[in-house]
Amino acid sequence: MPEALFRKFERFHAFTESEKEMLIDSIERVEKIGKGRDIISEGRNPEHVHLLLEGWACRYQLLDSGKQHIMAFLIPGDLCDVHVTLLDYMDHSIRAVSPAKVAYIPTRQIKEILGCHQRIANALFWAMLVDEAILRQWLVNLGSRSAVQRIAHLICEMRVRSSVAGICKENTFTFPLTQEELGEAMGLTQVHTNRSLRKLRDEGLIRRDRYELEICDWARLQQIAGFRDEYLHLKAR
Amino acid sequence: MPEALFRKFERFHAFTESEKEMLIDSIERVEKIGKGRDIISEGRNPEHVHLLLEGWACRYQLLDSGKQHIMAFLIPGDLCDVHVTLLDYMDHSIRAVSPAKVAYIPTRQIKEILGCHQRIANALFWAMLVDEAILRQWLVNLGSRSAVQRIAHLICEMRVRSSVAGICKENTFTFPLTQEELGEAMGLTQVHTNRSLRKLRDEGLIRRDRYELEICDWARLQQIAGFRDEYLHLKAR
DNA sequence: CGATTCGTTGACGAGGGTCAATGCACGTGG
DNA sequence: CCACGTGCATTGACCCTCGTCAACGAATCG
């Protein structure tokens, strides 16, 4: 089931069949989550770690102002909250931005794996470090780039990550965000997000049909965004 | 020597004397780093992990535009780059923003500790998770708050972290940033940073004397910033 | 078939960027 | 001790990106 996870981890090191089986066996159950529903809510420590199998999700936080800010997008193969194995408190929430399918893995199991299976533990650790690197890039994005650049950069990132997860065919992949959500992530209003997207479209860089996104000029899109993929640590070693 | 590190880790769990000794013994040497000098540069994988003992440092990245963006501030007790134990590539640089003292720990030693000493490994893991949580808050900061709020929020954070590290007396602590650096971190120009700082000063919230910063109204500063310290995971368990 | 959600467009204003000059505290060398 | 240079903070004038408010379309769904 979690092919996307294995594909991602192969960047770090390939798992043996028995390791894969162990991971699959640790899945307690799989659930479908409706679009817009929370997978985990801020506050308490859940008893499961969640692995996204299908669809997109986002980390987000509610603000005093009533607005919310999106801090990350998760795609198939991403673990939502290895955090909770060590932190006693979720400091943000995660919700599905499209219909999603989620695997529930008991926290206990993850702890056991972390303790007993060095190789898998390292892979999880590695995945967390990459997540952190992504977070840093988002920070640079918000802090130092214009609206158009920010959006272009996010598109570049999600395209590469989708490729790694095996859900990007040619130059087209699923990008199931409303302009409002895209704005919430990029620190922009929905209106300005709309205009910026339009610029990218008018320049012939991207095309959108419903929630499918096609990249028409990959080289120029990267260049405009200032995107370089090193931070995703793709090179298999 | 690394009292700040131990103080910080106590939030997670107290170390035994032998564990402390092991960490101290793993230090190969200690070096002074001049203000503005790089501790590690983007690119290759160094053979040491760096522990900050005195002074502040920052993670930063150079941009195509020639500008740079600061993605984190490090204070005594912070490990700069546990990353390099698993990632083969530093995707950003770290430099001293004030004169600093840095302990060099061979990567090999850290790997050994991660493999053999579960408790210490967990503590390192925990520290990384907290760093990630901090990063997420910075993201919210840049994405959803005004200049004054951003700066106020950073001040709140650094005050709490300084307390934990044991380098904040009463309401005063060392805040060795130029307005330019502060701006580079908050996504603002130096000029606007100046005006925003002035507002905080005029409102009687903070006072600055050289690089000492005094917080005059802690409650209101937090309120303006929208600061809540949960994300720092302070509660000792 | 409305009802709702999401995208599109316009008008206007404000927060923050840019450019540039000035002041102030140093540290250094003569 | 003064002269000078340098790094940093301060302030003003002006402009542009992006936010706000609001209305209208288009698509989807029960």
Side-chain angles (χ1 to χ4, degrees):
Chain A
M1 202 64 124
E3 294 84 12
L5 179 76
F6 297 144
R7 285 196 51 138
K8 188 170 81 163
F9 278 2
E10 265 167 26
R11 299 284 158 173
F12 182 63
H13 64 216
F15 284 148
T16 63
E17 285 308 312
S18 76
E19 282 170 336
K20 287 186 186 177
E21 266 174 43
M22 170 172 317
L23 275 167
I24 291 174
D25 288 346
S26 68
I27 295 174
E28 190 179 280
R29 66 178 193 279
V30 172
E31 272 187 25
K32 288 186 180 170
I33 309 270
K35 172 174 175 162
R37 294 253 330 280
D38 263 13
I39 296 174
I40 331 162
S41 305
E42 181 169 347
R44 207 58 69 66
N45 191 347
E47 289 118 42
H48 297 274
V49 168
H50 302 78
L51 167 63
L52 198 54
L53 298 177
E54 285 176 24
W56 281 29
C58 71
R59 295 183 199 285
Y60 73 98
Q61 192 173 47
L62 295 170
L63 303 177
D64 296 345
S65 61
K67 300 190 175 178
Q68 49 182 289
H69 190 91
I70 292 178
M71 302 173 291
F73 289 117
L74 304 170
I75 63 173
D78 288 340
L79 282 158
C80 300
D81 43 13
V82 205
H83 314 257
V84 299
T85 54
L86 281 182
L87 298 180
D88 52 345
Y89 173 89
M90 267 304 277
D91 52 41
H92 62 278
S93 306
I94 299 180
R95 79 159 183 263
V97 291
S98 72
K101 202 177 279 186
V102 173
Y104 286 68
I105 306 175
T107 308
R108 193 171 30 75
Q109 298 269 20
I110 295 284
K111 278 186 182 159
E112 198 182 309
I113 288 176
L114 286 177
C116 309
H117 301 272
Q118 195 62 29
R119 273 170 52 92
I120 304 184
N122 278 348
L124 291 179
F125 199 61
W126 169 81
M128 276 196 33
L129 289 173
V130 173
D131 284 349
E132 205 180 309
I134 291 173
L135 222 40
R136 277 193 294 270
Q137 280 312 308
W138 278 46
L139 207 63
V140 174
N141 221 14
L142 288 204
S144 301
R145 288 197 254 259
S146 70
V148 171
Q149 288 181 304
R150 282 181 218 183
I151 293 174
H153 198 278
L154 179 70
I155 291 174
C156 289
E157 177 185 311
M158 297 317 295
R159 181 242 161 95
V160 172
R161 286 172 58 193
S162 293
S163 284
V164 171
I167 51 175
C168 172
K169 6 167 179 48
E170 306 277 329
N171 289 311
T172 305
F173 65 105
T174 306
F175 191 87
L177 301 180
T178 64
Q179 296 182 345
E180 169 120 42
E181 285 162 336
L182 186 49
E184 278 168 4
M186 299 290 97
L188 301 167
T189 56
Q190 179 269 328
V191 173
H192 203 70
T193 303
N194 179 296
R195 294 196 232 262
S196 306
L197 270 175
R198 161 171 270 290
K199 275 185 197 159
L200 289 175
R201 192 153 30 90
D202 290 349
E203 298 258 339
L205 295 166
I206 59 168
R207 217 169 327 186
R208 257 217 316 175
D209 176 33
R210 284 188 50 86
Y211 286 139
E212 295 299 299
L213 192 150
E214 181 189 355
I215 294 176
C216 307
D217 191 337
W218 179 229
R220 258 193 70 233
L221 190 66
Q222 284 179 286
Q223 188 214 320
I224 287 177
F227 179 82
R228 282 174 300 130
D229 65 11
E230 285 90 351
Y231 73 96
L232 293 171
H233 296 273
L234 297 172
K235 287 183 281 291
R237 359 210 257 171
Chain B
M1 203 63 123
E3 294 83 13
L5 180 76
F6 297 143
R7 285 196 50 138
K8 188 169 81 164
F9 279 2
E10 265 167 27
R11 298 283 158 172
F12 182 63
H13 64 216
F15 284 147
T16 63
E17 284 307 314
S18 77
E19 282 170 336
K20 287 186 185 177
E21 266 173 43
M22 169 172 316
L23 276 166
I24 292 174
D25 288 346
S26 68
I27 294 174
E28 190 179 281
R29 66 177 193 279
V30 172
E31 271 187 26
K32 289 186 181 172
I33 310 270
K35 172 174 176 164
R37 294 252 332 280
D38 264 12
I39 296 174
I40 330 162
S41 304
E42 182 169 347
R44 207 54 72 65
N45 190 348
E47 288 118 41
H48 297 274
V49 167
H50 303 79
L51 167 63
L52 197 55
L53 298 176
E54 285 176 25
W56 281 28
C58 71
R59 296 183 199 284
Y60 73 98
Q61 192 174 45
L62 295 170
L63 304 176
D64 296 346
S65 62
K67 299 191 177 178
Q68 49 183 289
H69 190 91
I70 293 177
M71 302 172 292
F73 289 117
L74 304 169
I75 62 173
D78 287 340
L79 282 158
C80 300
D81 43 12
V82 205
H83 315 256
V84 298
T85 53
L86 282 180
L87 298 180
D88 52 346
Y89 173 88
M90 266 305 275
D91 52 40
H92 62 277
S93 306
I94 300 180
R95 81 159 180 261
V97 291
S98 72
K101 202 177 278 186
V102 174
Y104 287 68
I105 306 175
T107 308
R108 195 172 28 76
Q109 298 268 20
I110 294 284
K111 278 186 183 163
E112 199 183 309
I113 289 177
L114 286 177
C116 309
H117 300 272
Q118 194 62 31
R119 273 171 52 93
I120 304 184
N122 278 347
L124 291 179
F125 199 61
W126 169 82
M128 276 197 33
L129 289 173
V130 173
D131 284 350
E132 205 180 307
I134 291 173
L135 223 40
R136 277 194 293 270
Q137 280 312 308
W138 278 47
L139 207 62
V140 173
N141 220 13
L142 289 204
S144 300
R145 289 197 254 258
S146 70
V148 171
Q149 288 181 304
R150 283 182 216 180
I151 293 174
H153 198 277
L154 178 71
I155 291 174
C156 288
E157 177 184 312
M158 296 317 295
R159 182 242 159 93
V160 172
R161 286 171 59 193
S162 292
S163 284
V164 170
I167 51 174
C168 171
K169 8 171 177 46
E170 305 279 328
N171 289 311
T172 305
F173 64 106
T174 306
F175 192 87
L177 302 180
T178 63
Q179 295 182 346
E180 170 120 40
E181 286 161 335
L182 186 50
E184 278 168 4
M186 298 290 99
L188 301 168
T189 55
Q190 179 269 325
V191 173
H192 204 69
T193 303
N194 179 296
R195 295 196 233 263
S196 305
L197 270 174
R198 162 169 267 292
K199 274 185 197 158
L200 289 175
R201 192 153 29 90
D202 289 350
E203 298 258 341
L205 294 166
I206 60 168
R207 217 170 325 187
R208 257 214 320 172
D209 176 33
R210 284 189 53 86
Y211 287 139
E212 295 300 300
L213 192 148
E214 181 188 355
I215 295 176
C216 307
D217 191 338
W218 180 228
R220 258 192 71 231
L221 190 67
Q222 284 179 287
Q223 188 214 323
I224 287 176
F227 179 82
R228 280 174 301 130
D229 66 10
E230 284 90 352
Y231 73 96
L232 293 171
H233 296 273
L234 297 173
K235 286 183 280 291
R237 358 210 259 170

